[in-house]
Amino acid sequence: MKRSTFFIGAMIFAALSAGASGKGGISPDMLGRLKSAQDRSVSTRALRNAISTNDIDKIASNPDSKNGFNTHFSDRVKSKGITNQQRSGRCWLFTGLNVLRSQIMEQHDMPELKLSQSYNFFYDQLEKANLFLQGMIDLADRPADDKTVDWLFHNPINDGGQYTGLSDNLMKYGIVPAEVMQETFTANNTARLNKLLALKLREDGLELRKMHAQGKPEKEMQQRKEEMLAEIYRMLALTIGEPPTEFSWTRYDKDGKPVSTKTYTPQSFYKEFAGNDLKNDYVMLMNDPSREYYKLYEIDFDRHAYDGRNWTYINLPVEEIKEMAIKSIKDGEMMYFSCDVGQFLDRERGVLDPDNFDYEALMGTKFGMDKADRIRTYASASSHAMTLVAVDLDSNGKPTKWMVENSWGPGANDGHLIMTDKWFDEYMFRLVVNKKHVPAEISKILKQKPILLPAWDPMFAPEY
């Protein structure tokens, strides 16, 4: 045992010594300098003892950020009950349906309405599978190390998403009440299904590429793709349930009395109670300071369906996005909103604030990147969608904080998260607003030819 330990130590020393003769390695001399540069004071030792035995966020928590904080909001759209996506990445779907059901309840004087996430999620996964498989056919003549082919095999399917995927799905497949297609265990716990679907699709993708290499005609490849999709359909039906094509539903008034019982299709239900043109009546906005503002951008393959729309957005300064958000809230409209929710989140209080945690003081260093640099280096991106419902304006009409309806179930602030305006500036990315709240000069940007960004761009960020 001693000889073995000595032998291993000698190998490590030899490796370090070898590195010293070249450039870029950590030599024994450098290692010694790194070690001697450390602070050995009693206070540093006490700090090490505290950090190494506790949650970093607990130690970095800044009590001063809690002083004078209140939960009052000058302008708020009343939410209609907190939902829970549980252990799934369907925040984008919960957010969109939460906005929609709020509008339906308000317009039709309904005391309560819950919409089925499982119904639309089934078709989301089926459409994403087809997007991947058709992509394999379209790019079958490219080599395996082609950047787009490689990216597709890395990202065959997921349960995250964004607004265009939501709007394409709802406009094509409609919606159903929650009682018509209930949640299943798998719908609430998607990890295993995601892995199985991805595994199967990668296998199918290789087969389609092999068929092309063998000179098979596209018609035969399309037929085989349909057989593959039938297998995906079966996997989804077994785990999520098969979506209804028709259902009977009773509508109740605010007093709980039945008003009517009718038979609907998912599409006719959407048309009667929602009717929104989610594709043409809304504008997608982005705050990305790493790129030129007042330009229209499109991200390739950032969609859920092959015949759907890529995420296409107007890039604007954050202050202009805020103006449209405030107008929408004052007009009683919730909005699809996405951000980097994991940054400086105090879960116990349900508060997002850059001052929540003082990591710089704790670690004795500075984290100096601005928003643009964080985007360029993949340090920050849109990660979660929620419903923007409130803003608190000071006496000068300037926002001090914002509130979103979340889909993580009950919790602090009755399931809502509060973000300071400072946090909004740094970690808000996407907002979808009704066109009526968009200034004419901004709407004109929609007429530009979009600047196409590749699928592997930092702005490709499904929300979970």
Side-chain angles (χ1 to χ4, degrees):
M1 180 65 71
K2 289 183 179 179
R3 181 180 179 183
S4 175
T5 302
F6 175 81
F7 179 70
I8 293 172
M11 289 180 64
I12 294 173
F13 180 80
L16 287 171
S17 298
S21 62
K23 292 183 178 180
I26 298 179
S27 67
D29 286 343
M30 181 190 291
L31 189 60
R33 291 193 298 272
L34 295 177
K35 187 173 182 179
S36 63
Q38 302 307 304
D39 181 3
R40 307 292 177 181
S41 67
V42 174
S43 59
T44 297
R45 189 164 70 248
L47 183 62
R48 183 203 65 187
N49 293 342
I51 295 176
S52 62
T53 57
N54 288 278
D55 182 345
I56 288 177
D57 281 357
K58 292 289 186 184
I59 305 298
S61 180
N62 176 17
D64 291 339
S65 68
K66 304 174 185 178
N67 294 333
F69 192 87
N70 65 73
T71 57
H72 167 77
F73 284 87
S74 61
D75 299 272
R76 179 173 180 175
V77 184
K78 188 176 181 181
S79 56
K80 303 297 182 180
I82 294 300
T83 52
N84 192 345
Q85 68 186 81
Q86 299 196 43
R87 298 175 66 86
S88 75
R90 299 173 295 160
C91 68
W92 57 275
L93 181 55
F94 276 72
T95 295
L97 291 178
N98 284 342
V99 172
L100 195 64
R101 73 177 178 130
S102 176
Q103 295 173 356
I104 294 173
M105 291 170 67
E106 182 69 26
Q107 294 170 3
H108 298 277
D109 197 25
M110 294 184 185
E112 186 177 10
L113 175 67
K114 295 180 180 179
L115 297 173
S116 171
Q117 292 86 18
S118 290
Y119 171 80
N120 296 102
F121 183 60
F122 179 100
Y123 288 117
D124 172 73
Q125 297 294 279
L126 187 65
E127 289 281 6
K128 284 176 179 172
N130 182 63
L131 173 64
F132 171 80
L133 294 174
Q134 189 59 46
M136 287 289 106
I137 293 175
D138 292 347
L139 304 174
D141 59 344
R142 296 191 187 182
D145 61 356
D146 173 80
K147 184 71 172 179
T148 305
V149 173
D150 180 74
W151 183 88
L152 281 170
F153 273 116
H154 271 86
N155 303 276
I157 197 169
N158 59 63
D159 60 350
Q162 38 84 347
Y163 181 78
T164 59
L166 169 82
S167 59
D168 287 338
N169 185 308
L170 270 59
M171 296 295 290
K172 182 175 182 177
Y173 293 106
I175 56 176
V176 303
E179 59 266 33
V180 173
M181 186 169 176
Q182 306 253 354
E183 294 281 274
T184 65
F185 177 86
T186 300
N188 288 323
N189 300 268
T190 54
R192 178 55 61 194
L193 176 62
N194 282 343
K195 290 182 179 180
L196 292 174
L197 290 174
L199 181 64
K200 188 61 184 173
L201 287 172
R202 288 179 173 122
E203 178 183 340
D204 291 343
L206 288 175
E207 181 180 339
L208 290 172
R209 289 180 59 81
K210 184 177 180 180
M211 290 178 69
H212 175 79
Q214 293 172 343
K216 303 291 184 182
E218 184 172 342
K219 183 178 180 180
E220 188 173 333
M221 294 175 69
Q222 291 289 349
Q223 181 179 349
R224 181 67 185 112
K225 184 194 79 168
E226 187 170 329
E227 294 170 354
M228 293 170 174
L229 285 175
E231 292 182 317
I232 298 297
Y233 190 103
R234 172 180 167 80
M235 293 172 69
L236 294 172
L238 288 171
T239 54
I240 301 174
E242 192 164 11
T245 56
E246 190 177 85
F247 60 93
S248 178
W249 185 73
T250 300
R251 176 184 170 186
Y252 295 88
D253 63 18
K254 61 182 179 180
D255 298 319
K257 297 179 180 179
V259 175
S260 64
T261 299
K262 293 172 59 177
T263 298
Y264 299 91
T265 65
Q267 292 82 358
S268 69
F269 187 83
Y270 182 90
K271 184 177 181 180
E272 179 172 335
F273 292 105
N276 307 44
D277 187 345
L278 299 176
K279 295 183 179 181
N280 298 309
D281 289 347
Y282 294 85
V283 179
M284 293 167 282
L285 310 174
M286 175 79 82
N287 175 242
D288 175 6
S290 72
R291 290 190 171 88
E292 187 177 357
Y293 288 137
Y294 306 107
K295 295 291 184 181
L296 191 65
Y297 295 89
E298 176 184 355
I299 305 176
D300 196 18
F301 272 101
D302 197 354
R303 62 189 190 273
H304 295 207
Y306 183 78
D307 54 353
R309 299 169 302 151
N310 285 327
W311 171 260
T312 304
Y313 61 89
I314 301 174
N315 193 30
L316 294 173
V318 69
E319 294 303 324
E320 297 193 33
I321 294 178
K322 288 179 186 178
E323 290 176 7
M324 287 177 263
I326 292 170
K327 287 180 181 178
S328 299
I329 292 171
K330 285 183 172 292
D331 198 34
E333 293 189 5
M334 297 179 172
M335 286 156 285
Y336 184 104
F337 166 96
S338 65
C339 62
D340 194 356
V341 74
Q343 304 285 351
F344 297 94
L345 168 62
D346 184 337
R347 286 181 174 269
E348 292 182 3
R349 297 168 59 221
V351 174
L352 293 151
D353 183 356
D355 294 328
N356 276 341
F357 307 103
D358 193 349
Y359 298 120
E360 293 185 343
L362 182 67
M363 296 298 180
T365 189
K366 185 173 178 60
F367 299 99
M369 285 195 292
D370 61 13
K371 188 174 185 177
D373 285 340
R374 289 195 300 269
I375 291 171
R376 294 187 188 101
T377 59
Y378 298 89
S380 183
S382 183
S383 64
H384 184 56
M386 297 178 283
T387 310
L388 188 61
V389 298
V391 62
D392 190 32
L393 303 174
D394 64 17
S395 57
N396 296 315
K398 299 295 183 181
T400 62
K401 60 182 182 294
W402 304 78
M403 177 182 278
V404 287
E405 177 187 328
N406 202 2
S407 54
W408 293 347
N413 310 310
D414 296 322
H416 296 73
L417 295 181
I418 297 173
M419 63 193 77
T420 62
D421 191 60
K422 181 179 178 181
W423 190 95
F424 190 103
D425 288 343
E426 296 296 323
Y427 299 107
M428 184 282 301
F429 283 96
R430 300 170 175 174
L431 189 70
V432 180
V433 300
N434 194 300
K435 280 185 175 179
K436 65 184 180 181
H437 300 301
V438 180
E441 62 272 19
I442 300 299
S443 294
K444 289 179 182 178
I445 299 174
L446 293 169
K447 297 179 181 180
Q448 295 178 5
K449 182 180 179 181
I451 299 169
L452 184 63
L453 304 175
W456 48 90
D457 187 87
M459 281 295 99
F460 186 103
E463 286 125 20
Y464 296 95

